[in-house]
Amino acid sequence: MTTSERARPAEALRAAWSRFRATLPVPPAPPYVVPQDDPGVAWSRRLDRVRAALEQARTDLVEHGWAQRAWFSVGADGGTVRLATSAEAFALVRPTGTVAGACLVGAMLRRAEDPDRATTHDDVWGAVDELYEALHERMGHGSLPPGRVDAHHRRQAKLRVLTAWNDAPTTTRADVLDLLDRAVSRTVVGACR
């Protein structure tokens, strides 16, 4: 038997195998682009994350206390509580620092900086937007629909307004908790549309 005679059965086997493979269904190409969520679903998820950030901040204010005229208050000698200095406040933003109380903005900042929580900076900025609009509603003014995203410079202005309102002598802890509840309600209503 020659070499060419031995190659013929191998070629015939290869040809039969190729014909058989041609009859098999071709699997679809793998998706290289991550499919985007439905915009309505993405909207609801975003509002859910903002709501969670607001509820966590409310829980922190209830458990740790509320402060005015500073981001945080800390325990002092003799069991008293004092306001944290600006230098101390930057260290206390991290959740590893122990605080005796936090203002509305300080509680939100601690949410964003906690690596053990799923809250992101975008969620906290969304919470600032909702708190600002809830404050307008509370004052009897008109407000924008829930879930609106503003430019960064407008959000910074909203943060200053919320800080000034928190530090006003007439603002009480009950007012701050009420504002958080209103903001949570806004996110729930917004997610239902």
Side-chain angles (χ1 to χ4, degrees):
M1 184 180 266
T2 65
T3 310
S4 61
E5 290 173 348
R6 276 187 256 146
R8 284 188 191 136
E11 287 174 11
L13 184 60
R14 272 191 229 116
W17 180 249
S18 293
R19 285 190 304 272
F20 173 72
R21 284 187 54 206
T23 63
L24 295 174
V26 178
Y32 294 106
V33 177
V34 177
Q36 297 295 320
D37 283 338
D38 176 88
V41 172
W43 176 270
S44 294
R45 282 191 187 137
R46 181 182 172 280
L47 285 176
D48 283 344
R49 289 192 316 269
V50 169
R51 179 196 44 77
L54 289 164
E55 288 175 344
Q56 291 168 359
R58 186 185 196 289
T59 301
D60 288 350
L61 289 177
V62 169
E63 289 177 0
H64 300 294
W66 172 67
Q68 277 185 305
R69 299 181 317 279
W71 279 354
F72 307 107
S73 60
V74 293
D77 295 335
T80 61
V81 175
R82 67 173 177 81
L83 298 177
T85 64
S86 297
E88 289 174 319
F90 285 105
L92 293 171
V93 167
R94 304 271 187 267
T96 55
T98 304
V99 298
C103 75
L104 179 62
V105 173
M108 298 304 300
L109 287 171
R110 282 179 66 92
R111 288 292 103 216
E113 295 297 326
D114 191 346
D116 295 333
R117 307 251 183 190
T119 307
T120 65
H121 288 272
D122 287 337
D123 300 338
V124 171
W125 278 118
V128 166
D129 292 337
E130 296 307 320
L131 285 165
Y132 181 81
E133 296 303 328
L135 181 61
H136 271 268
E137 287 176 0
R138 190 173 192 275
M139 297 170 124
H141 303 298
S143 65
L144 297 172
R148 179 184 163 99
V149 177
D150 265 328
H152 189 67
H153 70 279
R154 286 186 50 103
R155 285 179 159 177
Q156 289 175 334
K158 289 178 177 183
L159 200 61
R160 287 190 293 272
V161 168
L162 289 169
T163 301
W165 176 80
N166 181 86
D167 293 345
T170 57
T171 303
T172 64
R173 179 177 179 263
D175 293 334
V176 173
L177 295 177
D178 177 62
L179 185 68
L180 282 161
D181 290 340
R182 286 173 184 261
V184 167
S185 296
R186 284 180 52 82
T187 61
V188 170
V189 169
C192 291
R193 64 178 195 116

